[in-house]
Amino acid sequence: MPTLILVRHGRSTANTAGVLAGRTPGVLLDERGTEQAAALPARLSAIAIAAAVTSPLERCRQTLQPLLDARPGLSVHTEERISECDYGDWSGRKLAELSDEPLMSVVQQHPSAAAFPGGESMRAMQARAVDAVRDWNDRVEAEHGEDATYVMCSHGDIIKSLVADALGMHLDLFQRIHVDPCSVTAIRYTRLRPFLLRVGDTGDLTPLAPREQPVGADAVPSGGGDGTSDAAVGGGGGAP
């Protein structure tokens, strides 16, 4: 079966502002995210890509555009099932503000029981994303052969939930996974089980360096990168 290359969208204006974007319209790549997207074609230059699939949200389409420009024959498909989690009433709110919500501890420690007010549950988010990947695996194999590789550009929590599925991990453990903006995660699917080849690979070890702890009311947990034990809901903003 095919190899899936998951690309998280580049850093966005919401990442920079410490806001949980969700499906809020008008969230675009910031300057750093645009640079990350521009570097993507070179990072993937050695890989034959059969197809590209994207979340309908604009920050994902922006991230893939340089790759599409570099490969004019590459077809791109929009897939609603890999759109960002529907955070409902939490969408557009500051992450620092959300940290005081009682639901946040459930999101962190027991995400399989978390359902966002006015939005969807994290179980539903994972189920639709896994179904989408299974369907695209079948489609890509049928059209391009079992050794084909395809790219899917999506969002932090979606990618983390797909990694958890590939590893046979319960969703309650998926907050232990971290993927930076414009990072590459690769999963090779076989008839019996998937193999995780890369997780959150940015081609740059800067994100592994200790980060300065932000100070003040707008301090945002970054998924363990700064020494905290909380995961960044939505994925975090990556290295400066």
Side-chain angles (χ1 to χ4, degrees):
M1 298 182 72
T3 296
L4 169 61
I5 295 179
L6 289 159
V7 177
R8 185 185 167 201
H9 63 78
R11 195 175 74 177
S12 72
T13 52
N15 295 144
T16 309
V19 168
L20 185 62
R23 299 178 180 180
T24 305
V27 176
L28 307 176
L29 299 184
D30 67 5
E31 183 177 354
R32 174 61 177 151
T34 301
E35 294 172 353
Q36 291 170 333
L40 191 60
R43 292 170 61 199
L44 298 177
S45 61
I47 303 171
I49 299 172
V53 184
T54 181
S55 156
L57 297 181
E58 193 165 0
R59 56 193 181 272
C60 287
R61 300 186 68 87
Q62 283 183 296
T63 299
L64 278 188
Q65 194 58 54
L67 180 65
L68 299 174
D69 292 342
R71 303 192 187 202
L74 182 61
S75 59
V76 61
H77 310 270
T78 299
E79 173 55 75
E80 297 283 344
R81 292 174 295 176
I82 61 166
S83 187
E84 179 63 286
C85 183
D86 183 357
Y87 297 115
D89 297 343
W90 279 27
S91 301
R93 293 177 61 187
K94 284 275 191 179
L95 285 163
E97 170 190 324
L98 290 170
S99 65
D100 295 328
E101 293 280 355
L103 179 61
M104 182 59 85
S105 61
V106 182
V107 171
Q108 294 292 334
Q109 304 297 332
H110 191 22
S112 66
F116 295 97
E120 70 178 330
S121 69
M122 301 196 89
R123 286 184 296 107
M125 174 199 74
Q126 183 187 42
R128 62 174 166 82
V130 169
D131 284 348
V133 167
R134 297 293 190 271
D135 289 347
W136 276 101
N137 283 347
D138 291 342
R139 177 172 174 175
V140 170
E141 180 177 5
E143 295 179 4
H144 303 281
E146 63 181 11
D147 294 325
T149 296
Y150 69 107
V151 169
M152 183 174 277
C153 188
S154 188
H155 307 269
D157 281 350
I158 295 289
I159 293 172
K160 288 162 56 178
S161 72
L162 289 169
V163 170
D165 172 75
L167 291 175
M169 289 171 53
H170 197 282
L171 184 62
D172 285 343
L173 301 178
F174 100 124
Q175 297 290 26
R176 301 183 184 191
I177 301 164
H178 184 79
V179 291
D180 273 326
C182 221
S183 63
V184 169
T185 295
I187 303 170
R188 178 175 294 134
Y189 288 87
T190 73
R191 294 295 175 192
L192 298 180
R193 58 184 174 182
F195 292 87
L196 186 62
L197 307 180
R198 294 285 188 279
V199 180
D201 190 338
T202 63
D204 176 7
L205 295 180
T206 302
L208 299 181
R211 302 180 193 175
E212 183 177 347
Q213 175 67 32
V215 177
D218 288 336
V220 177
S222 61
D226 58 5
T228 69
S229 60
D230 282 348
V233 180

